[in-house]
Amino acid sequence: MAGFIHDKLDIKLLVLYILDRAAAAIDFATLTDLAMCDSGVDYFQFAEAVAELAGSGHLSQDGEFYAVTDKGRRACSAGESSLSPVIRQRCDRRLEPLNRALRRKAQVRAQVTAQPQGFDVCLSMDDDKGSLFSLTLLAPTQEDAQHIADGFLAHPDRVYNALLGVLLTNDDGGEHP
């Protein structure tokens, strides 16, 4: 059965379409997985297409991560209608869980910074409307600071709920009215 993707131009449009709809830059392996949504996509043509798009300024590359540029967005907008609706729907469905994860990752942050007296661990969490909280802790060692940061990134909701639980409980153990 022949696919909807027929040549390198189709592959380039597919790559631009995917990256235009991704919530953040994605690595080459993830981009490859998303692009292999049709039997017409050849891996070697795909890899060439990505390299050519980066070389022409349609994509930006930061290490293994790729993002669409304004030039790429314009090209995508002009050409996306030539991509099959079936391919666009497949891409959109495959992008949904990735975009949820990328948005969540962007909303929960932890940064370790060396200070003269130890290491600051800056923790922050946002929701769709803005900042929920920011907290900076001082850790004595970089190992402790990284452990705190990793724990927060693994369970931000537990940290947030525990903090609210302590702050909203009065001295006799009951909640504030």
Side-chain angles (χ1 to χ4, degrees):
M1 180 172 126
F4 293 97
I5 303 294
H6 299 101
D7 56 28
K8 196 189 298 185
L9 180 59
D10 289 341
I11 294 172
K12 287 181 177 181
L13 284 171
L14 176 63
V15 168
L16 291 174
Y17 184 87
I18 290 168
L19 289 172
D20 188 43
R21 281 151 183 79
I26 56 178
D27 63 19
F28 186 77
T30 303
L31 179 58
T32 302
D33 183 53
L34 291 167
M36 295 299 163
C37 63
D38 184 73
S39 62
V41 179
D42 173 78
Y43 174 80
F44 297 105
Q45 279 190 329
F46 163 78
E48 259 182 37
V50 171
E52 289 173 11
L53 287 168
S56 66
H58 289 85
L59 303 181
S60 64
Q61 183 179 1
D62 184 12
E64 272 293 303
F65 288 84
Y66 292 87
V68 68
T69 62
D70 288 338
K71 181 178 181 180
R73 286 186 205 293
R74 288 190 300 275
C76 180
S77 179
E80 80 179 51
S81 63
S82 66
L83 274 178
S84 162
V86 171
I87 294 297
R88 290 187 302 223
Q89 288 172 352
R90 283 182 194 165
C91 288
D92 293 343
R93 271 194 317 271
R94 293 172 74 148
L95 276 163
E96 277 182 42
L98 174 67
N99 280 338
R100 273 194 306 273
L102 290 171
R103 282 188 206 98
R104 178 164 170 88
K105 183 178 178 185
Q107 291 176 331
V108 178
R109 295 173 306 285
Q111 181 179 4
V112 175
T113 308
Q115 299 296 332
Q117 65 276 30
F119 292 84
D120 275 346
V121 186
C122 299
L123 311 173
S124 59
M125 187 164 78
D126 303 336
D127 67 6
D128 294 336
K129 295 180 180 154
S131 177
L132 289 175
F133 85 95
S134 296
L135 176 67
T136 301
L137 303 168
L138 181 65
T141 67
Q142 186 170 11
E143 182 178 284
D144 289 341
Q146 193 60 54
H147 184 72
I148 292 167
D150 292 344
F152 175 71
L153 292 173
H155 305 287
D157 50 335
R158 285 174 38 191
V159 173
Y160 179 72
N161 289 331
L163 183 62
L164 281 180
V166 168
L167 296 175
L168 295 175
T169 303
N170 60 28
D171 290 338
D172 62 6
E175 289 186 8
H176 286 285

